[in-house]
Amino acid sequence: MDASTDTPAEVSSPPVAEEETPWLTAKEQQFWRAHLEVSHLLEYQLGRELQPHGLANNDYEILVVLSESPDRRMRMTDLATATLQSKSRLSHQITRMESAGLVLRQECPGDRRGLFAHLTEHGWDILRKVAPDHVRSVRHHFIDRFTPEQIDALYAALAPVAEHLRGLKGRS
Amino acid sequence: MDASTDTPAEVSSPPVAEEETPWLTAKEQQFWRAHLEVSHLLEYQLGRELQPHGLANNDYEILVVLSESPDRRMRMTDLATATLQSKSRLSHQITRMESAGLVLRQECPGDRRGLFAHLTEHGWDILRKVAPDHVRSVRHHFIDRFTPEQIDALYAALAPVAEHLRGLKGRS
């Protein structure tokens, strides 16, 4: 009998991992999907609630990063790294934000290592105006849905993972 | 004395929330940042590890969603909802995936409510081939970094949040 004609019954079942990498257990799978759902749906919801302010999630993130930088400015390449964007994608975004008067792209006198993005006074005002609504969204859809004990436990679990992932990114 | 000339010292400090929305406490802020970091850096890292397979995170997600749908196909509008993408952005992505032979866009005979995206045999083969590596990545960078007790606790905390966010999306 030719084994190759003996089509296995599970040919249409979900992909099966190689033996040395066990597939996720039911509990792990449940958790993994909950993590993905919360990450994606929360981002989606926060984005919807920023829209009336004329901002996208990426815009808000850039305003925050620049507001926390010395002199409220950052080298474009560092900003791309900080926001996990490609330089070309960031460049397009900064162009849009520059049109809206939120940031300004400028060469730094005496520094030949490229362009800086500056937060403008208008960008700073917008951030101050939008931040309370954003905090309200973050509290309502996320933070206030956990007990203080859960926040401690979640932070204790996530912090080493964040550190691991930061380390990988630093090496890349 | 004119109070308006009395510039508050904190004018350059971080944006302050309105009184009725308390700003995040130090612990909450720490947790919120850890959540954002893990979400974003994990997505970034998983994307990097899919790259050698010629797939982006969005591609992989679409392959999985289609593979789990009846007849391995889905109406384009439903696929956009399931993957939280705009119809136009999804359409561009499906065009790219169609060029790679992973999916096929087809009208359904007898159904005038638009186009379907089908998973091709090649798309299914690619998913089966890539899945073990992807599971290895998910385990190595995320799942295996928690104890079983932590997974239980994290799932118990996240599941109601996922349900809340799904409910909001359903109403939109």
Side-chain angles (χ1 to χ4, degrees):
Chain A
M1 184 181 158
D2 183 0
S4 69
T5 62
D6 190 9
T7 309
E10 72 275 17
V11 74
S12 288
S13 69
V16 174
E18 286 166 19
E19 213 161 18
E20 69 267 26
T21 308
W23 200 252
L24 301 188
T25 66
K27 273 194 176 186
E28 287 166 344
Q29 176 85 356
Q30 220 178 20
F31 164 50
W32 173 233
R33 299 224 163 182
H35 166 81
L36 285 182
E37 262 198 303
V38 168
S39 296
H40 295 170
L41 287 171
L42 186 59
E43 190 116 340
Y44 176 79
Q45 186 64 30
L46 294 179
R48 281 176 62 97
E49 296 179 15
L50 280 172
Q51 258 175 26
H53 296 289
L55 297 178
N57 282 325
N58 281 350
D59 302 329
Y60 189 82
E61 186 189 11
I62 284 178
L63 294 181
V64 170
V65 169
L66 290 179
S67 79
E68 292 174 348
S69 299
D71 300 326
R72 297 188 196 153
R73 64 171 201 176
M74 205 182 237
R75 194 170 278 121
M76 286 290 282
T77 49
D78 296 337
L79 189 56
T81 305
T83 58
L84 301 173
Q85 295 195 78
S86 68
K87 284 182 208 171
S88 69
R89 202 175 141 194
L90 175 68
S91 181
H92 285 297
Q93 187 180 348
I94 292 292
T95 299
R96 283 195 305 274
M97 292 178 76
E98 210 169 6
S99 308
L102 300 168
V103 298
L104 207 61
R105 219 179 320 211
Q106 281 184 330
E107 286 184 45
C108 181
D111 186 328
R112 289 177 188 171
R113 286 179 298 161
L115 288 168
F116 280 73
H118 294 248
L119 185 65
T120 62
E121 275 305 312
H122 179 62
W124 171 251
D125 288 344
I126 291 290
L127 178 58
R128 283 179 68 98
K129 186 169 152 271
V130 173
D133 278 358
H134 187 66
V135 171
R136 195 174 300 122
S137 299
V138 169
R139 280 208 171 278
H140 179 61
H141 300 304
F142 192 67
I143 295 289
D144 290 352
R145 296 181 179 271
F146 305 110
T147 65
E149 293 73 27
Q150 281 180 321
I151 288 184
D152 286 346
L154 287 163
Y155 177 69
L158 290 179
V161 181
E163 200 183 330
H164 160 72
L165 292 165
R166 264 198 311 270
L168 283 178
K169 188 172 155 261
R171 286 207 303 273
S172 69
Chain B
M1 182 181 159
D2 183 0
S4 69
T5 62
D6 190 11
T7 309
E10 73 273 18
V11 75
S12 289
S13 69
V16 174
E18 288 166 15
E19 211 160 19
E20 70 265 29
T21 308
W23 200 252
L24 301 189
T25 66
K27 273 193 176 187
E28 288 167 342
Q29 176 85 355
Q30 220 179 19
F31 164 50
W32 173 234
R33 299 226 162 178
H35 166 80
L36 285 182
E37 261 198 304
V38 169
S39 296
H40 294 171
L41 288 171
L42 185 60
E43 191 116 339
Y44 177 78
Q45 186 64 30
L46 295 178
R48 280 176 62 97
E49 294 179 17
L50 280 172
Q51 258 176 25
H53 296 289
L55 297 177
N57 282 324
N58 281 349
D59 302 329
Y60 189 83
E61 185 187 12
I62 284 178
L63 294 181
V64 170
V65 170
L66 291 178
S67 78
E68 292 174 349
S69 300
D71 300 325
R72 296 188 196 152
R73 64 170 201 176
M74 206 182 234
R75 194 170 277 120
M76 286 289 283
T77 49
D78 296 336
L79 190 55
T81 305
T83 58
L84 301 174
Q85 296 196 77
S86 68
K87 285 182 206 171
S88 70
R89 201 176 141 194
L90 175 68
S91 182
H92 285 297
Q93 188 179 349
I94 291 292
T95 299
R96 284 196 304 275
M97 292 179 75
E98 210 169 6
S99 308
L102 300 168
V103 298
L104 207 60
R105 219 180 320 212
Q106 281 183 329
E107 287 186 42
C108 180
D111 186 329
R112 289 178 187 170
R113 285 179 298 161
L115 288 170
F116 280 74
H118 294 248
L119 185 65
T120 62
E121 274 306 311
H122 178 61
W124 172 252
D125 288 344
I126 291 291
L127 178 58
R128 282 179 67 95
K129 187 169 152 271
V130 174
D133 278 359
H134 186 65
V135 171
R136 197 173 300 122
S137 300
V138 169
R139 279 207 172 282
H140 179 62
H141 300 305
F142 192 68
I143 294 289
D144 291 351
R145 294 179 181 272
F146 305 110
T147 65
E149 293 72 28
Q150 281 180 320
I151 288 185
D152 287 345
L154 288 164
Y155 177 70
L158 290 179
V161 181
E163 201 183 328
H164 160 72
L165 292 166
R166 265 199 309 273
L168 282 179
K169 187 172 154 260
R171 285 208 302 274
S172 71

